[in-house]
């Protein structure tokens, strides 16, 4: 039996209606959106951003339209049949540059000389792309940046979005359980990570049904780093082999309907030393301080401020290098940020990661990361993998 793994068309249409209300208030005749994740947020069309521009045009009146390369044309009726107006160019750079095709689309919709909301000055997909800015191909258009307007709306998740994230959490929990089951001395980080990710992804195919496929590059993701590498942020699984006494830093997630969650833990291989217990417990306490500081109406900066006070009290602040967390949803990192420099008010419906860290250079890193939903009372922990050291000790 399959389960729902994507948002409804009505949700995307509701988002379009909300943006049209904003456009009317601001005197904008349309939107021209380049960012892949913003296009997905507003239309449901998910694609890989490459050198080939994909652009969403949303007029104040009339249906939205997509500019796409020919290789994407056949995907639209299969994946997003509610998008009926599609402008197709053959290839990049082509005999006529895609940005000139975009100018033609805007002229046909009466927007080439209008007030337009944009999220960027032009296509920024990388991959060797070169081309003119939007203002060069429609020089009489009056452009206003609405990037933050869209991203501010993305901060507050709808009930349907939260359900997809909850489903991501469930599959991430499976992936993480497999990481722990498969971890043993002598195996490489990469062998353990690949096996757990593959088996969790196969589990997803059984649950989500025969027609499901991930929108991103992976279904379930799972990985570990070990030993001294855990004190070096954003290292990747490699050929290092697990040893007795290692601290292991984990990562597990899953993409469902374009949405992700984040789950990270610390394993100890074999009985933990007293030093490992000390720093493990202090990191958990720091995370508890962060969780208790997430309150509607409070600024995001207050969460890091509270954690920093705890760290300074225990002479630990030099051991931390990152802010305390960030928004999560369509992307692994979204606004807002639990950072001293972000005073965005915390609001119910935000989904955040909470991940204070302690790094002992040359020795080990200590971090849990959990995904939480902000509620009227505080926050609800969506991830539920155990956080205590006994549960996270790998028996050998």
């Amino acid at each position: 039996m399959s389960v729902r793994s994507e948002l409804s068309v009505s949700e995307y249409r509701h988002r379009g209606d909300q943006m049209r209300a904003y456009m009317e208030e601001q005197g904008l005749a349309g939107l021209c959106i380049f960012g892949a994740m913003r296009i997905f947020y507003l239309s449901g069309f998910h694609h890989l951003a490459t050198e080939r521009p994909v652009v969403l045009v949303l007029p104040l009146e009339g249906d939205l339209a997509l500019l796409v390369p020919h290789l994407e044309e056949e995907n639209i009726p299969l994946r997003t049949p509610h998008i009926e107006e599609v402008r197709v160019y053959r290839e990049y750079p082509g005999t006529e540059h895609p940005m000139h095709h975009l100018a033609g689309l805007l002229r046909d919709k009466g927007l080439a000389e209008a007030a337009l909301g944009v999220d960027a000055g032009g296509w920024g997909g990388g991959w060797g792309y070169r081309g003119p800015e939007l203002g060069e191909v429609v020089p009489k258009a009056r452009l206003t940046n609405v990037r933050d307007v869209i991203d501010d709306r993305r901060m507050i998740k709808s009930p349907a979005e939260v359900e997809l994230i909850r489903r991501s959490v469930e599959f991430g929990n499976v992936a993480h359980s497999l990481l722990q089951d498969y971890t043993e001395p002598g195996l490489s980080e990469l062998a353990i990570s690949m096996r757990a990710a593959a088996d969790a992804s196969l589990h997803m195919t059984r649950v989500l049904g025969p027609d499901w496929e991930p929108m991103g590059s992976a279904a379930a993701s799972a990985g570990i780093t070990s030993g001294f590498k855990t004190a070096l942020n954003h290292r990747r699984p490699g050929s290092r082999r697990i040893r007795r006494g290692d601290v292991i830093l984990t990562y597990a997630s899953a993409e469902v309907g374009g949405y992700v969650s984040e789950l990270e833990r610390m394993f100890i291989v074999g009985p933990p030393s007293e030093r490992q217990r000390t720093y493990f417990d202090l990191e958990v306490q720091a995370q508890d301080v962060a969780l208790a500081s997430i309150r509607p109406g409070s600024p995001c900066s207050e969460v890091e401020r509270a954690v920093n006070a705890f760290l300074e009290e225990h002479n630990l602040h030099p051991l931390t290098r990152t802010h305390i967390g960030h928004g999560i949803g369509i992307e692994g990192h979204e606004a807002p940020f639990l950072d001293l420099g972000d005073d965005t008010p915390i609001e119910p419906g935000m989904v955040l990661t909470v991940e204070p860290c302690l790094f002992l250079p040359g020795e080990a890193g200590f971090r849990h990361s959990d995904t939480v939903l902000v509620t009227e009372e505080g926050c609800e922990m969506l991830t539920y993998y155990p956080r205590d050291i006994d549960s996270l000790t790998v028996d050998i």
Side-chain angles (χ1 to χ4, degrees):
M1 179 182 68
S2 63
V3 298
R4 186 168 187 82
S5 59
E6 58 187 22
L7 295 179
S8 66
V9 173
S10 63
E11 178 125 0
Y12 293 113
R13 286 178 173 154
H14 176 65
R15 293 172 181 175
D17 290 342
Q18 287 182 315
M19 290 307 300
R20 286 191 175 96
Y22 170 82
M23 291 154 57
E24 190 165 24
E25 291 173 2
Q26 300 299 315
L28 298 174
L31 300 182
C32 189
I33 304 301
F34 294 91
M37 294 300 100
R38 297 185 191 100
I39 291 173
F40 173 61
Y41 177 76
L42 292 173
S43 71
F45 181 69
H46 199 287
H47 68 285
L48 172 65
T50 68
E51 74 277 13
R52 304 175 181 96
V54 172
V55 188
L56 180 146
V57 175
L58 179 66
L60 180 60
E61 297 181 1
D63 294 332
L64 66 81
L66 278 180
L67 173 78
V68 300
H70 178 60
L71 63 83
E72 292 283 7
E73 182 179 9
E74 293 176 333
N75 282 324
I76 294 174
L78 294 174
R79 295 178 175 174
T80 51
H82 61 282
I83 300 175
E84 297 181 356
E85 186 173 353
V86 182
R87 179 67 57 92
V88 181
Y89 62 89
R90 179 68 181 87
E91 180 56 291
Y92 167 87
T95 55
E96 181 181 4
H97 194 279
M99 287 296 290
H100 293 293
H101 284 272
L102 174 60
L105 172 60
L106 292 171
R107 283 194 297 271
D108 291 347
K109 297 185 82 66
L111 298 175
E113 300 182 16
L116 290 178
V118 300
D119 66 336
W123 181 248
W127 292 55
Y129 173 82
R130 298 180 183 182
E133 295 289 283
L134 181 62
E136 297 177 61
V137 297
V138 285
K140 294 185 178 181
R142 302 176 301 283
L143 308 181
T144 299
N145 195 317
V146 298
R147 177 198 63 197
D148 293 352
V149 174
I150 299 172
D151 290 352
D152 285 352
R153 294 175 185 274
R154 288 172 55 189
M155 290 186 196
I156 310 300
K157 272 50 178 186
S158 70
E161 288 177 292
V162 172
E163 284 308 305
L164 290 180
I165 294 171
R166 287 185 190 277
R167 180 64 67 176
S168 168
V169 165
E170 293 172 9
F171 292 125
N173 201 73
V174 170
H176 198 277
S177 298
L178 293 172
L179 277 178
Q180 187 162 1
D181 288 346
Y182 297 161
T183 295
E184 62 179 86
L187 297 179
S188 73
E189 298 166 342
L190 197 56
I192 295 165
S193 302
M194 292 177 64
R195 183 183 177 194
D199 287 355
S201 296
L202 289 174
H203 171 73
M204 292 180 71
T205 66
R206 291 189 289 268
V207 174
L208 295 176
D211 296 326
W212 169 81
E213 66 179 54
M215 294 184 180
S217 59
S221 55
I224 65 169
T225 55
S226 60
F228 76 95
K229 289 174 63 177
T230 62
L232 302 166
N233 217 28
H234 292 165
R235 292 294 292 269
R236 305 292 298 169
S239 59
R240 185 184 186 276
R241 296 184 180 274
I242 306 305
R243 304 169 188 172
R244 180 185 181 92
D246 274 348
V247 172
I248 291 178
L249 186 61
T250 71
Y251 174 82
S253 184
E255 183 265 294
V256 181
Y259 287 78
V260 297
S261 58
E262 183 172 290
L263 169 64
E264 295 178 354
R265 290 290 185 266
M266 299 163 287
F267 294 157
I268 311 293
V269 181
S273 67
E274 286 305 310
R275 182 172 172 83
Q276 289 170 336
R277 283 187 179 275
T278 295
Y279 283 102
F280 187 106
D281 290 344
L282 285 166
E283 192 282 332
V284 172
Q285 291 176 53
Q287 193 186 34
D288 286 340
V289 169
L291 292 166
S293 302
I294 296 174
R295 297 183 297 269
S298 181
C300 288
S301 56
E302 182 57 32
V303 179
E304 182 171 6
R305 194 168 290 113
V307 172
N308 284 351
F310 169 83
L311 297 175
E312 289 165 359
E313 178 185 353
H314 293 83
N315 298 314
L316 296 169
H317 194 263
L319 301 182
T320 189
R321 298 178 192 148
T322 66
H323 48 221
I324 306 306
H326 50 80
I328 192 169
I330 293 173
E331 296 178 281
H333 283 224
E334 297 181 350
F337 294 88
L338 303 179
D339 185 281
L340 292 176
D342 192 337
D343 290 327
T344 301
I346 296 171
E347 295 185 55
M350 287 180 172
V351 178
L352 307 168
T353 70
V354 183
E355 47 181 314
C357 60
L358 298 174
F359 293 113
L360 280 64
E363 183 178 345
F366 295 82
R367 180 172 69 215
H368 288 342
S369 181
D370 283 280
T371 303
V372 305
L373 169 68
V374 180
T375 66
E376 296 289 347
E377 294 76 30
C379 69
E380 173 193 350
M381 190 92 83
L382 298 181
T383 42
Y384 50 88
Y385 206 83
R387 292 193 302 148
D388 63 285
I389 195 167
D390 291 337
S391 297
L392 297 172
T393 298
V394 176
D395 295 328
I396 57 174

